[in-house]
Amino acid sequence: MKKKDKLVSVVVQAYNSADTIVRTLESVKAQDYEKIELIVTDDKSTDQTIEEVAAWLEKNQERFCQTQLVTAKVNTGIPGSNNRALRHVTGAYAEFLAADDCMAPNAISTYVAYCEAHPNTIPIARVKLFSDDADCDFSSVAAYCERCYAFAALSQKEQYRQLLIQNRIVAPAAAFYPVKILRALKGFDEAYRWMEDYPLNVKLLKKGYRFGLLDRELVCYRISGGSITGKSAAPLKLTEAKMFFREKMWYMIGNGMGWEAVKQSKSWIRILLRRGK
């Protein structure tokens, strides 16, 4: 272990993840960066996730500076689960990884090197898409990812404008956060149960931070019908509408985007009216 290396906290987000979480944990264990704190935050799983994690941690805890399994009495959604983990984080940087994704062996060391060279910039790495379904078509997701990479190369001012219009962060696990920034933003907003990263990232840009493209594939991102993205389109839309009327509309007006706020207001009202029928 190099004395100059900063401690990195890897938070693995688990919910009914017994079938996939060991692969995720093994990818954290295989990192070429030594100084890692591993925190698994479980959001009231009803399968064998906790047992799988406890057994794995017992066998592998010596690999890490420290390990913790954080559990919940009730299911709160990913923002609440992340905040429970964040209260235990002691690292300088934090990586939030879903329990069905994994990282390249050099992910943490590459992220840390980028952050040390670019203070107050949040790196967005490229992701490698994968699925257990041999017939899964990645084309639309891959196209979205390319738009996100282009977004990460823009100026801070343009990033803020574009993120107010639409979420353009490829995947939560692609980002790597200085913990001091997460604490300054008071963590994740639990008002948005189905959307942990977008509200945080809007506030991050509003405060003057920016994103930067780390042009390497560092995260393997699973695409499946059982993922949060696949199974919760309706709740996600309602959450987006809530965020718009609660915050984004006012941010747009304050950023000189009044006409865009009017257009989006009309669009969200039409969506909500259709859902109310």
Side-chain angles (χ1 to χ4, degrees), residues 5-6 8 33 93 107-117 176:
D5 286 346
K6 294 183 177 179
V8 173
Y33 191 89
Y93 298 105
I108 297 298
S109 58
T110 305
Y111 275 130
V112 171
Y114 182 97
C115 288
E116 292 294 291
F176 189 80

Side-chain angles (χ1 to χ4, degrees), residues 15 41-44 72-84 87 189-194:
Y15 176 67
T41 178
D42 182 80
D43 200 19
K44 190 63 176 176
K73 294 182 179 179
V74 296
N75 180 276
T76 60
I78 299 177
S81 188
N82 280 353
N83 283 337
R84 285 193 296 276
R87 287 193 284 271
D189 196 330
E190 297 182 32
Y192 308 119
R193 177 184 177 90
W194 294 94

Side-chain angles (χ1 to χ4, degrees), residues 24-271:
T24 301
L25 295 173
E26 288 289 340
S27 80
V28 182
K29 177 184 174 182
Q31 292 300 299
D32 62 11
Y33 191 89
E34 290 296 321
K35 204 169 181 180
I36 297 175
E37 167 185 69
L38 175 61
I39 300 174
V40 179
T41 178
D42 182 80
D43 200 19
K44 190 63 176 176
S45 290
T46 57
D47 65 356
Q48 298 299 307
T49 297
I50 291 178
E51 289 80 2
E52 289 281 347
V53 171
W56 191 92
L57 291 179
E58 184 176 0
K59 293 178 182 178
N60 296 281
Q61 59 183 337
E62 292 184 2
R63 157 64 181 88
F64 303 97
C65 296
Q66 56 193 38
T67 64
Q68 289 193 66
L69 171 57
V70 180
T71 59
K73 294 182 179 179
V74 296
N75 180 276
T76 60
I78 299 177
S81 188
N82 280 353
N83 283 337
R84 285 193 296 276
L86 190 56
R87 287 193 284 271
H88 297 272
V89 162
T90 60
Y93 298 105
E95 164 74 2
F96 292 84
L97 189 66
D100 59 352
D101 298 335
C102 56
M103 293 187 293
N106 64 337
I108 297 298
S109 58
T110 305
Y111 275 130
V112 171
Y114 182 97
C115 288
E116 292 294 291
H118 303 85
N120 296 327
T121 298
I122 310 302
I124 301 295
R126 290 181 178 270
V127 300
K128 181 178 181 179
L129 304 176
F130 75 102
S131 176
D132 295 330
D133 181 0
D135 297 324
C136 186
D137 181 4
F138 296 154
S139 58
S140 62
V141 179
Y144 173 75
C145 289
E146 289 300 324
R147 293 194 294 272
C148 294
Y149 304 143
F151 161 84
L154 298 172
S155 68
Q156 193 278 341
K157 182 177 181 180
E158 184 61 17
Q159 285 181 359
Y160 183 45
R161 190 189 74 81
Q162 289 203 17
L163 203 66
L164 284 176
I165 296 172
Q166 182 183 6
N167 189 11
R168 297 176 188 272
I169 306 301
V170 57
F176 189 80
Y177 296 95
V179 172
K180 67 178 183 179
I181 293 178
L182 293 176
R183 299 207 192 281
L185 297 175
K186 302 186 184 304
F188 297 82
D189 196 330
E190 297 182 32
Y192 308 119
R193 177 184 177 90
W194 294 94
M195 196 165 55
E196 82 275 21
D197 58 327
Y198 187 30
L200 173 73
N201 292 333
V202 168
K203 290 177 181 177
L204 184 149
L205 284 168
K206 186 174 185 292
K207 290 290 186 179
Y209 302 105
R210 73 176 301 273
F211 293 96
L213 177 63
L214 203 172
D215 199 11
R216 302 275 295 277
E217 277 190 355
L218 299 182
V219 175
C220 296
Y221 183 63
R222 183 187 296 269
I223 304 297
S224 73
S227 67
I228 289 294
T229 303
K231 73 181 181 181
S232 60
L236 188 59
K237 276 296 181 186
L238 293 175
T239 301
E240 284 190 73
K242 180 179 180 180
M243 181 186 172
F244 174 79
F245 288 110
R246 186 171 179 254
E247 294 182 71
K248 276 179 55 180
M249 180 174 68
W250 309 107
Y251 293 168
M252 285 179 177
I253 293 170
N255 198 45
M257 300 168 64
W259 180 237
E260 181 65 34
V262 171
K263 289 193 296 182
Q264 289 208 14
S265 293
K266 292 179 178 179
S267 176
W268 282 118
I269 289 170
R270 285 196 296 269
I271 290 171

